[in-house]
Amino acid sequence: MINLSNRNISNISMAVVRRLPKYHRYLQELLEKEIYRISSKELSKLIGFTASQIRQDLNCFGGFGQQGYGYNVEELYQEIEKILGLNRTYKMIIVGAGNLGQAVANYTNFEKSGYELLALFDINPRLIGMKIRDIPFRDVDELGEFTNENEIDIVVISTPREFAQGIVDKLNKDNVKGIWNFAPTDIKVPEHIIVENVHLSESLYTLSYLLNEKHLEVDK
Ligand code: NAI
């Protein structure tokens, strides 16, 4: 058995943490196919990380494979769920309910994974009072009061960038734990709030760099 108490989650490096969702996804697919045991070599072929990378990563949290047996898929999956905090629920609100905010709200898989959306906030009077899947659009002026009355795990910021800091300033920050920031700007928050930035354009520009690097090699 993997023993959670034998390791310290906070010691896991961010590089490993960033790879965990990929392990989680592949292990889930294996379980769906009723595959309960896998060697690090087979896992390597599947995921595309080297077998030694996989051994190193999984050793970080005590996920030791057994010689001649490999990994117990279910045990590993559950362990990664615990580390990623996917075995609990999160209360979430979205501020900026335009294209992106509504796309996040409409993605029902987040809800299935335990992310409970309480409300969307916007400044546009045409949106206020509407609903997505029974979840109300509220006036952004109510944001302070709402966060006074409700503890929120995750605030999604999907307003134009120039309003992002203003949104943070409106929150009752004592009642907010994390911000998922889609606005392409760095926001200032108190130390206890964790910010995860999702800058899609950075990922897109990385792709265009790699496409161009290939061209440059061909041109040589
Ligand atoms: P959008 O214009 O469709 O939506 C923005 C929403 O924010 C609107 O409904 C607007 O009424 C609302 N808003 C404006 N000021 C506000 C305020 N002070 N308080 C509350 N709500 C306010 O824009 P979109 O496309 O959804 O993008 C949102 C953010 O995400 C932008 O910062 C954008 O740069 C970023 N982003 C969007 C991507 C996309 O694919 N749509 C991709 C990457 C980043």
Side-chain angles (χ1 to χ4, degrees), residues 92-97 117-123 128 136-152 154-159 163-176 178-179:
M92 188 159 104
I93 57 172
I94 293 175
V95 188
L117 182 59
L118 301 185
L120 297 103
F121 292 86
D122 205 282
I123 204 168
I128 297 158
F137 287 72
R138 303 178 64 141
D139 191 325
V140 73
D141 283 345
E142 297 170 17
L143 189 58
E145 197 185 325
F146 191 86
T147 52
N148 283 338
E149 288 168 2
N150 298 280
E151 291 201 354
I152 306 296
I154 300 169
V155 176
V156 179
I157 298 186
S158 44
T159 60
F163 303 112
Q165 188 61 47
I167 298 304
V168 175
D169 297 340
K170 276 188 210 276
L171 299 167
N172 176 342
K173 288 179 250 338
D174 290 339
N175 280 343
V176 170
I179 294 180

